[in-house]
Amino acid sequence: MSGFTVGEVIAERSVHLTRESLVRYAGASGDFNPIHYRDDVATAVGLPGVLAHGMLTMGIAVGTLAEALGDSGRIADYGVRFTRPVVVDPETGADLHISAKVGAVDDEIARIDLTVTFAETTVLGKAQVRVRVS
């Protein structure tokens, strides 16, 4: 991918998360906080259920763009705000939907705005990726 046009959607995908996904991510990341795999602990601390790791959600989101770029080395900067939790149901899991849209372009950098939703609610705010144009 070399050209960017403001307003163009350059990547979209959906990812299904399960409790198994969370346990695998915990093992890979070393984040074994029990709110990510135990309902009783999540409930005891006032959460609506077991939550996906924020960094997992963030990684899935930027991974959508990295696949479209074909070279993750073009990513110069990435930041998000975690605005809503992703509750992963023990039976049905959770579906994340990601869309990457060109927000701005100059001679060197394109800003890609990521929209990440779960249950029709945006879960990452101001999710922006700065990508080297060439």
Side-chain angles (χ1 to χ4, degrees):
M1 169 171 280
S2 59
F4 295 96
T5 303
V6 173
E8 178 184 17
V9 175
I10 58 173
E12 290 184 288
R13 77 173 172 168
S14 295
V15 175
H16 183 71
L17 294 175
T18 65
R19 294 286 177 92
E20 181 180 335
S21 306
L22 304 185
V23 170
R24 289 177 184 269
Y25 183 78
S29 69
D31 181 352
F32 290 100
N33 186 327
I35 65 168
H36 299 300
Y37 57 89
R38 288 186 47 190
D39 288 301
D40 61 326
V41 173
T43 301
V45 297
L47 297 172
V50 166
L51 306 181
H53 302 73
M55 296 302 287
L56 173 60
T57 304
M58 189 178 173
I60 288 170
V62 78
T64 302
L65 177 60
E67 287 179 20
L69 293 172
D71 176 8
S72 60
R74 292 176 63 188
I75 296 172
D77 186 55
Y78 176 40
V80 306
R81 290 186 182 159
F82 299 104
T83 57
R84 296 280 188 270
V86 176
V87 179
V88 180
D89 184 88
E91 300 299 323
T92 61
D95 292 312
L96 291 175
H97 303 283
I98 303 102
S99 177
K101 185 176 185 178
V102 179
V105 181
D106 65 24
D107 292 340
E108 297 181 19
I109 296 288
R111 188 194 77 223
I112 311 300
D113 300 327
L114 300 175
T115 301
V116 182
T117 59
F118 158 69
E120 301 187 27
T121 300
T122 300
V123 296
L124 298 180
K126 201 170 183 177
Q128 297 180 335
V129 186
R130 293 171 27 97
V131 175
R132 291 178 191 84
V133 172
S134 57

